[in-house]
Amino acid sequence: MKRVGKALRNILAALIATWGLAGCMSPDAVEVSSGGFDFAVEVAGDTAVARNYHTGRLNFAALEEAARSAIETASGCAVRTLAKRSEINTFDATLDCAS
């Protein structure tokens, strides 16, 4: 019985975390998959934000390159600069869009 209670607590914690992350996604975000990662990308003018909520992958270089590709796919523009925020798996980009 003790194991069932622990399993139920873990399931409840996972559900709450999932709902919390879903609340972080803007309704204007575009979902893009790139390099095995899923991103929510928001584009506003010549800037963009890419968020990846799966924190199990530790290869930062692959995550960063996938974020760049996801932003370029969502915006149709080249990424001029890309910087990681202090938030987990969140990247800010400035875009170079042809007029």
Side-chain angles (χ1 to χ4, degrees), residues 3-23:
R3 283 188 271 177
V4 172
K6 185 176 181 180
L8 288 174
R9 280 193 306 272
N10 289 342
I11 291 169
L12 180 60
L15 283 173
I16 290 170
T18 301
W19 290 330
L21 291 175

Side-chain angles (χ1 to χ4, degrees), residues 23-43:
C24 294
M25 253 183 82
S26 166
D28 298 327
V30 176
E31 292 184 41
V32 180
S33 294
S34 178
F37 298 95
D38 295 322
F39 292 91
V41 180
E42 298 173 53
V43 179

